[in-house]
Amino acid sequence: MKYLARLDPIEKLDLSVRANNALRRAGINGVGELLDFPKENFPSLKNMGAKTVTEITEVIEQIEIIEIDPLNCNADQKLEDAVVAWFIGKDGQLYRDFPIEDIELSRRAFNCLKGAGIDYISELLDKTETDLFAIPNMGPKSVKEIIEAINLLVLQPVSTAQSFYNNDSDFGTNEFCRCIVQEIVKTIDVHAAKLYEEILPLVENCNGRFAPEVLAKEIDEPLISELYWLPLLRCAIKETILKQLELNPYGLDKFNLVRSLPSFLQNELLVDSLILELIQDSNLLCLHDQIYKQKYPTVLEYAASLPKPQDCAVLTGRLSGKTLDKIGKELYLTRERVRQIESKCINKAPTLSEDIYALVFQKYDIAKEDFILGFKESEITYNYLSIAYKKGKYLVDSLATDSDFPERFRKAAERIIYKNHVVLGGERVLRSRFELSEYILRTAGAEGLTFEEFSQFYQMLLEDLNLQDNPKFSVMDRGYSNKLAASDHVLWKYGQKLRYYNIDAYDYTDLLKGLNLSNYKNVELSTRKFFQEYPELMSDYDIQDEYELHNLLKKICRSDDYPQLHFKRMPNIEFGIADRDTQVMDLLLTLAPITNTDFAAAYEHEYGVLSQTVLANYMKNFDQFFYSGVYKIDVPMLSDIMAAKMKQLLSKEFYLLSDIRKLYVSEFPQADPKLLNPYTLKALGFRVYANYAIKDQYPSAAEYFREILTTEDIIDAQSFPKEVLNTIAYMSEVYKLKATYEILEYAPLKYVHFRRLNCAGVEKESIMDYCRKAYQAVDSQYFTVYSLRKKGFTHALDELGFGEWFYASLLSEDKEHFSYRRLGKNKLFRRSSENVSLIDFLEWIVYSSESLSLDVYELTEKLSSDYNINLEWYKIVETIKGSTMYYDTITQKVYADYDVYFEEI
C-alpha cells in the first residue's frame, strides 16, 4: 500500500515512463487528479495502451490517501525530499532529468547508449541521427527506436525551489543566468545548456550587481558587451541575422536586423561589429541606403565554377547574348545539345545573386532596355533571367505601386515609366502633345488664354525641347482647340478663352446642392442668373463668369443624374422641354403694361439673360402687343367659381409654380391649362417669378424671404420648405443679411438675429473688434478659427459660448481683411482678399516643412490636428496632380516640387 497526499506529484507512483508521459499529456500531474479521473476514460487517452491502463489501474488500487497538516510538517525536510535532478531545456526552462533506464528501450539500444557514456535523458536529447550512428554497435533499428522514444518523451518542468543550489547566493546567480538564457533562446537558435555554462561565469563576476528578481532585459551595458563576445552566442547571433535575410531576400536595414534580437541585445554598435564580420566573411552584402542582404555568387561566378569547360563556355556564351546556333557552331555541338547543357547548368545552379529579380521578372513584362534602365543592371542579368524564368504578363506601370516588392524596385519602375518625360519648371511632364498642352495651360493659363496665345506658348516650348519639326506634336489646327475645351482641366471663359481648372480637385456636392438644378422644370435659364445669385458658391469653386459655370456644369452633370438638363449655346441651359416664347408671354402677362426696356430688365432678373440680348432676340414674336414703347396684353380670366376654389386651395405664402399647376389640374381636370397663367395668378393674390409665386401681401420676394429670416431671434432654416432654401432670391437675401451682421450663422443653416446678441450687451463694434483682433493675431497666411484658438487667441465674444462656425461666420463677412472657402466641413481663411485655393494652401504647408516634403498621411493628420480640416488622403493626391507639387506613389510622400523629390532619391 502507498500512503500519499492528494497534492503529491504522480512521480511518486513510480510509474513507467510511458504511463507517466501519457498522464502528463492528459494534464494529470497530481495524485488527486489521477484519482478523480474516470477509470473508464483511460483507454481513450493518447498513447495509452492496454498494458499501460492495467499498470495505472493496479497502482491506483494500492494508493491510500492520508491527510497532512501543513502546520506540523517540517518545511526543510519537505524541500529536501522534493529536490530532483534537473537540466536546462532548449527553451531555457528547468526540466526533471532521469536515467535512461526509465525509457522503454531494447537491451541492444540501452547497452549502446550506456557504452557511449549516456546515462541521463539530458545527454540524449541533443543527439542527432548522425550522432547516434557514430556510437559503436548502433544499427539502424536501434537508432530508429531511440529517436521514436525521444519523440515520445514529455519533459516535466520543475520549479526553481526543487532544483539544487548550494546557498541563496547560488540560487540568485543561477536563476538570473537562466533568465538571460531563457530570453535569448526565444529568438536565437542556440544550445541553451551550453550557453548557460558560458554565461554563468560572467554573471558570477558581476559581484552581486543583480538581485534574483531582476529581469534579463534590465542587465547593464558591461554585461551586454561581454555577452556579445561569447563565441557561442556571437555565432548564433550571426546565424540569426543570416536567417532573417534569408526570409527577406530583398534585404533589411540595420534597424530591422537589430529588432530581430532579444530586447536587451538590441545594441546597434555591437551589431555593427557582427555585420562587419559577416561582410568580411563574404556572407553579407550592403546595398544602397544601408540595406543588407545575404550574399550569393553571381551567375558569372557560378559559370566559372563549373567543372566542365564545355558547360562553362555554353552558359557564359548564353549570358553574353549569343544564340544557341552560334554557340553550337563555336563548340561543334548541335543546337539541341547546347540547349540541354544550358538547361542542366541552370537547374543545378544554387541561389544566385541575380535571383533577387526572379519574382518581379516572372510577374511583369519588362523589355530588356527598360530592365537595364530601371534596375541599373547589366545585360547579363537580364539574359540570365530570360533563360532561367518565364517572363510575366503584367504591364510594368503597375509595379510602381506594387507593395509586394521593395521600394527600390518600385523606383526602378518609376524610371521606366518616366523615361519619356522631361522636367519643366520642377515638374516631370510626359513628352506628348496632350501632357505638354496641359503644362502650358497650367502654367500660363491660370487667368485664361485664347487659342492663338496658347499656340504661341506651345510652339516656344516645342522649340526649347527641339520638337518643333515633329508632326506628332502639332496643335495648330482649330480642331485641337475643341479637344482642349473638352478636357477636364479646362473651362471656357468669356471671349473664347481657355482657363486651366482642375475639375478633379473639387467635391461638387455643395455646388450642386446649392444650385438644386433638379428643382427647375421646363424652363430655359442663363447660368448668369446662378453666377450672380450665388456669389459665395462661385467664390468657393473659383468660377469666374457664367460661361465657366456653364462649361463646368456641362462636364460634371452626367445625363444619368440629370436627364432633363440640356446645355444650349453658352451660357444657356434648358431644363426639360422649354418654350422661350411661353416664358416671355408668361412674364408679359404678369407685368403688362410695361415698357420694352423695363421688361428686358425684368426678364434678365428672372432668367439671367442679358437685357440687350432679350431686346435683340427674344421679342420678335410679340410685336402685336407692342404700342408706343409699351407692351399691353388682354387675357381671359378664371371663372369666379374656379378663382374662389383656387384661392381656398392656395392658403400658403410660398408655392412652386409646378405645385400650383398640380393643384389646378387635380381640381379642374377638364379645364383649359392656359387659364392658369401669371396674369390669373396675379388676380389670385400672388406675385409670380421664374419658378415660384409668393402672396402679394409682400411687395417683393426679397421682402418675404427677409421676413421669414428676421421675425424670430433664432432661425432654423432647416425647418423651411426645401423649395424655399433652393430659391435664388432666398439665398441672395441670406447673403445680404449676413453681410450686415443682421443675422449671424452659428451653425450650418442656423441663424441668430443680432437683436438677440444686442440684448446680451453685444454691439456691432464688438464684432468689428473681433475681426480686427483676429487679423492682428494671425501669424500665418492661412488659418481656421480652430488653429487661431490653438495658438492662444481669445476675445470677449468667446463668452457667448458659440461653436467655431459662429466665429468663422463673423470673419467671413470681413471681406476687407479675409477671404475664405469651405473645406472639409470647415472654413479656411486667408489673411488677404486674394482667393483661397486648396492647392495654394497645401503648397504653403509643404513648403513650411523643414524637408519640403510630407508623408500624405502625415499631411492629412496635420490638416486635422492643426486646422480641424478633414480631407481624405486620395482627395489631396488628386488635388496635387494639378499643381507644381509632386506626389510619389511609392513613398506616398508629397514634395514641394519634382526637384525636391529628385534630390531626395
Side-chain angles (χ1 to χ4, degrees):
M1 188 66 66
K2 289 182 179 286
Y3 296 94
L4 299 169
R6 288 182 61 84
L7 294 178
D8 283 334
I10 59 174
E11 283 78 11
K12 290 195 173 185
L13 298 175
D14 296 327
L15 293 167
S16 67
V17 172
R18 184 181 184 87
N20 194 68
N21 288 342
L23 292 175
R24 285 286 185 184
R25 286 194 191 95
I28 301 172
N29 300 299
V31 172
E33 293 172 332
L34 178 62
L35 295 176
D36 294 338
F37 192 84
K39 294 181 181 180
E40 62 271 17
N41 290 348
F42 280 127
S44 63
L45 296 180
K46 189 174 181 181
N47 295 322
M48 185 75 75
K51 183 179 178 182
T52 307
V53 171
T54 301
E55 176 191 355
I56 294 173
T57 304
E58 290 176 353
V59 167
I60 290 175
E61 292 174 354
Q62 298 296 316
I63 295 175
E64 180 74 28
I65 296 297
I66 59 172
E67 298 297 332
I68 299 177
D69 182 1
L71 297 177
N72 295 326
C73 292
N74 187 311
D76 292 335
Q77 184 61 43
K78 286 182 66 179
L79 180 60
E80 183 179 339
D81 292 342
V83 169
V84 296
W86 56 271
F87 67 95
I88 297 178
K90 291 182 179 180
D91 58 359
Q93 295 278 10
L94 292 180
Y95 292 97
R96 178 174 176 262
D97 204 0
F98 50 85
I100 61 173
E101 283 84 355
D102 290 355
I103 306 175
E104 294 182 1
L105 294 175
S106 65
R107 176 57 58 184
R108 181 181 180 86
F110 175 81
N111 289 338
C112 286
L113 293 177
K114 279 290 187 178
I118 299 173
D119 297 315
Y120 287 87
I121 62 164
S122 58
E123 301 169 302
L124 183 61
L125 290 176
D126 293 328
K127 301 297 182 184
T128 65
E129 188 175 304
T130 303
D131 295 335
L132 293 174
F133 272 118
I135 296 175
N137 302 318
M138 184 74 76
K141 186 177 178 181
S142 297
V143 169
K144 182 180 179 182
E145 178 189 352
I146 293 170
I147 289 176
E148 287 178 353
I150 292 173
N151 292 334
L152 288 173
L153 284 175
V154 176
L155 298 181
Q156 301 168 18
V158 297
S159 66
T160 53
Q162 292 176 295
S163 56
F164 176 76
Y165 297 110
N166 292 329
N167 51 52
D168 288 343
S169 175
D170 285 346
F171 175 84
T173 300
N174 284 273
E175 182 61 12
F176 183 71
C177 180
R178 192 176 62 82
C179 187
I180 293 174
V181 171
Q182 210 170 326
E183 286 295 314
I184 290 174
V185 297
K186 286 179 182 178
T187 52
I188 297 176
D189 186 12
V190 62
H191 195 291
K194 292 180 180 178
L195 183 61
Y196 177 87
E197 293 174 3
E198 286 197 3
I199 294 178
L200 187 58
L202 301 181
V203 176
E204 289 173 342
N205 291 334
C206 288
N207 298 321
R209 289 204 306 271
F210 305 104
E213 66 274 9
V214 176
L215 296 176
K217 62 183 178 182
E218 296 176 348
I219 65 177
D220 56 20
E221 290 297 326
L223 181 54
I224 291 174
S225 182
E226 289 179 311
L227 291 176
Y228 262 95
W229 287 103
L230 290 174
L232 179 64
L233 182 57
R234 194 170 186 82
C235 290
I237 294 175
K238 287 182 183 179
E239 287 300 318
T240 299
I241 291 174
L242 291 176
K243 284 180 181 178
Q244 285 296 315
L245 293 175
E246 192 174 335
L247 295 172
N248 296 274
Y250 300 120
L252 288 174
D253 57 18
K254 184 165 63 176
F255 174 77
N256 282 294
L257 289 176
V258 171
R259 283 183 60 189
S260 67
L261 303 177
S263 58
F264 64 91
L265 290 179
Q266 292 179 8
N267 185 302
E268 284 198 22
L269 291 176
L270 295 172
V271 171
D272 275 340
S273 65
L274 296 179
I275 290 175
L276 183 60
E277 289 180 13
L278 287 169
I279 292 174
Q280 291 172 345
D281 294 340
S282 297
N283 291 318
L284 208 63
L285 189 65
C286 181
L287 305 175
H288 57 81
D289 298 329
Q290 296 300 300
I291 301 294
Y292 298 94
K293 68 180 288 289
Q294 197 162 0
K295 188 175 181 181
Y296 298 106
T298 67
V299 67
L300 285 179
E301 290 172 341
Y302 165 65
S305 70
L306 292 171
K308 294 182 179 180
Q310 188 180 72
D311 292 355
C312 177
V314 168
L315 186 55
T316 304
R318 291 291 284 144
L319 294 173
S320 65
K322 292 180 181 180
T323 64
L324 296 173
D325 286 333
K326 186 173 182 179
I327 296 173
K329 289 176 182 178
E330 290 176 354
L331 300 177
Y332 302 101
L333 299 171
T334 65
R335 183 180 186 280
E336 176 58 22
R337 181 56 185 152
V338 173
R339 189 197 62 75
Q340 290 173 355
I341 293 172
E342 171 194 281
S343 179
K344 179 191 68 174
C345 292
I346 292 298
N347 291 336
K348 290 174 60 179
T351 300
L352 300 173
S353 177
E354 291 80 1
D355 286 325
I356 192 173
Y357 302 113
L359 291 179
V360 73
F361 184 86
Q362 293 175 94
K363 184 172 183 178
Y364 292 99
D365 182 7
I366 309 174
K368 180 186 289 188
E369 58 274 16
D370 286 345
F371 181 87
I372 293 170
L373 169 69
F375 291 92
K376 299 180 179 178
E377 285 286 349
S378 67
E379 185 177 353
I380 289 173
T381 299
Y382 187 86
N383 290 339
Y384 162 70
L385 295 171
S386 299
I387 296 168
Y389 303 101
K390 184 179 179 181
K391 185 188 288 189
K393 297 179 180 179
Y394 290 99
L395 294 176
V396 73
D397 301 52
S398 303
L399 175 57
T401 54
D402 193 336
S403 58
D404 288 341
F405 295 98
E407 184 178 315
R408 59 195 179 93
F409 279 31
R410 287 176 273 156
K411 292 286 186 187
E414 202 173 57
R415 283 190 286 271
I416 296 169
I417 295 167
Y418 292 114
K419 65 181 179 181
N420 293 321
H421 286 63
V422 293
V423 178
L424 300 172
E427 289 186 64
R428 191 157 54 180
V429 182
L430 179 65
R431 196 186 283 106
S432 72
R433 182 170 64 174
F434 175 77
E435 292 292 341
L436 294 176
S437 298
E438 287 273 306
Y439 174 76
I440 292 294
L441 288 168
R442 189 165 57 251
T443 55
E447 298 302 323
L449 290 170
T450 64
F451 184 70
E452 287 70 25
E453 291 170 333
F454 162 80
S455 297
Q456 290 173 8
F457 280 112
Y458 184 80
Q459 193 61 31
M460 287 189 288
L461 180 59
L462 291 184
E463 290 172 2
D464 290 342
L465 298 175
N466 198 27
L467 297 171
Q468 67 273 20
D469 297 325
N470 191 328
K472 291 195 303 182
F473 293 91
S474 174
V475 298
M476 295 310 294
D477 54 291
R478 290 297 303 181
Y480 194 72
S481 69
N482 295 329
K483 188 173 182 180
L484 281 178
S487 167
D488 282 343
H489 289 167
V490 167
L491 291 182
W492 276 104
K493 288 179 64 67
Y494 177 74
Q496 293 290 300
K497 284 189 172 183
L498 301 160
R499 182 170 78 94
Y500 179 77
Y501 187 92
N502 187 4
I503 292 177
D504 295 332
Y506 291 89
D507 180 348
Y508 296 100
T509 304
D510 289 341
L511 175 68
L512 296 173
K513 183 179 179 181
L515 298 181
N516 194 30
L517 302 177
S518 58
N519 199 38
Y520 296 91
K521 311 291 183 184
N522 302 327
V523 64
E524 182 188 62
L525 297 174
S526 167
T527 49
R528 187 167 181 270
K529 180 176 180 65
F530 298 123
F531 182 77
Q532 290 183 324
E533 298 290 348
Y534 292 96
E536 284 195 9
L537 274 177
M538 300 303 110
S539 176
D540 285 349
Y541 288 91
D542 189 26
I543 301 169
Q544 297 183 359
D545 60 39
E546 61 267 31
Y547 294 88
E548 288 190 357
L549 178 59
H550 183 281
N551 195 225
L552 176 63
L553 292 175
K554 187 175 182 179
K555 291 175 178 178
I556 65 174
C557 294
R558 298 182 304 173
S559 58
D560 292 346
D561 298 325
Y562 296 91
Q564 298 300 312
L565 200 59
H566 308 289
F567 292 91
K568 315 297 281 187
R569 184 175 179 180
M570 289 200 301
N572 289 353
I573 299 178
E574 182 182 35
F575 299 86
I577 301 174
D579 188 319
R580 185 180 294 174
D581 285 350
T582 299
Q583 287 182 199
V584 173
M585 177 58 78
D586 284 347
L587 193 57
L588 280 174
L589 288 172
T590 303
L591 302 175
I594 187 172
T595 66
N596 60 342
T597 53
D598 286 346
F599 176 80
Y603 195 93
E604 178 178 338
H605 178 74
E606 285 298 310
Y607 299 102
V609 181
L610 287 171
S611 57
Q612 52 266 42
T613 302
V614 175
L615 291 172
N617 303 315
Y618 285 44
M619 308 307 297
K620 294 176 182 179
N621 296 331
F622 300 91
D623 289 344
Q624 69 269 34
F625 306 114
F626 190 57
Y627 306 97
S628 302
V630 177
Y631 287 97
K632 296 179 181 179
I633 302 177
D634 294 323
V635 294
M637 298 291 292
L638 289 171
S639 69
D640 291 343
I641 295 176
M642 295 173 72
K645 186 60 179 177
M646 288 302 295
K647 279 187 177 181
Q648 181 185 351
L649 291 172
L650 300 174
S651 58
K652 295 188 293 185
E653 296 176 333
F654 176 92
Y655 284 97
L656 289 178
L657 294 181
S658 58
D659 290 339
I660 295 177
R661 291 191 186 96
K662 288 177 184 177
L663 286 172
Y664 175 78
V665 172
S666 175
E667 192 65 29
F668 308 108
Q670 304 302 321
D672 184 358
K674 293 181 180 179
L675 288 177
L676 186 71
N677 55 56
Y679 187 79
T680 54
L681 284 175
K682 186 176 180 181
L684 292 174
F686 283 90
R687 297 186 185 279
V688 183
Y689 299 90
N691 65 330
Y692 62 93
I694 292 176
K695 287 280 190 177
D696 62 6
Q697 68 191 65
Y698 299 99
S700 65
E703 288 297 325
Y704 167 70
F705 294 130
R706 174 175 284 270
E707 178 164 320
I708 66 172
L709 285 165
T710 59
T711 300
E712 303 292 336
D713 286 351
I714 302 295
I715 307 101
D716 184 357
Q718 292 175 338
S719 65
F720 293 167
K722 182 180 178 182
E723 297 80 9
V724 171
L725 297 178
N726 295 325
T727 301
I728 293 176
Y730 165 80
M731 289 305 304
S732 179
E733 202 59 31
V734 170
Y735 293 149
K736 291 176 184 176
L737 293 170
K738 286 168 63 178
T740 59
Y741 295 113
E742 190 168 346
I743 62 172
L744 301 98
E745 193 171 18
Y746 66 89
L749 296 180
K750 294 185 178 182
Y751 308 95
V752 57
H753 199 282
F754 177 73
R755 61 174 169 265
R756 180 70 171 266
L757 300 181
N758 193 236
C759 290
V762 177
E763 302 291 341
K764 287 196 176 179
E765 175 56 33
S766 301
I767 296 175
M768 304 304 174
D769 183 66
Y770 180 89
C771 294
R772 283 194 299 270
K773 294 288 177 59
Y775 181 79
Q776 294 166 1
V778 172
D779 60 357
S780 59
Q781 189 174 355
Y782 292 94
F783 70 97
T784 60
V785 170
Y786 178 84
S787 69
L788 197 60
R789 287 180 167 180
K790 194 173 181 181
K791 292 183 178 180
F793 175 72
T794 58
H795 191 272
L797 288 184
D798 293 341
E799 296 178 5
L800 294 174
F802 288 108
E804 292 174 23
W805 192 268
F806 171 81
Y807 299 97
S809 298
L810 301 185
L811 300 179
S812 300
E813 304 307 327
D814 186 357
K815 312 295 185 187
E816 180 183 352
H817 292 113
F818 307 110
S819 57
Y820 79 96
R821 69 167 288 182
R822 295 184 184 186
L823 191 65
K825 297 182 180 180
N826 205 335
K827 288 184 178 180
L828 173 67
F829 290 91
R830 186 172 184 174
R831 194 177 182 270
S832 74
S833 57
E834 297 179 38
N835 286 337
V836 177
S837 160
L838 175 57
I839 288 177
D840 291 341
F841 175 50
L842 295 175
E843 200 169 64
W844 174 74
I845 290 179
V846 174
Y847 269 100
S848 299
S849 67
E850 186 176 348
S851 62
L852 299 182
S853 64
L854 285 171
D855 178 278
V856 70
Y857 298 105
E858 184 183 349
L859 178 55
T860 304
E861 176 59 29
K862 186 174 182 64
L863 291 177
S864 177
S865 61
D866 291 359
Y867 299 94
N868 196 24
I869 291 175
N870 299 295
L871 292 177
E872 298 291 347
W873 70 268
Y874 57 82
K875 188 68 179 178
I876 293 175
V877 172
E878 197 60 46
T879 301
I880 286 168
K881 289 180 181 177
S883 72
T884 57
M885 290 181 286
Y886 180 77
Y887 174 70
D888 180 40
T889 55
I890 298 173
T891 59
Q892 293 186 303
K893 287 178 70 174
V894 179
Y895 296 86
D897 55 37
Y898 180 73
D899 288 339
V900 175
Y901 162 76
F902 189 76
E903 287 176 10
E904 181 173 298
I905 64 170

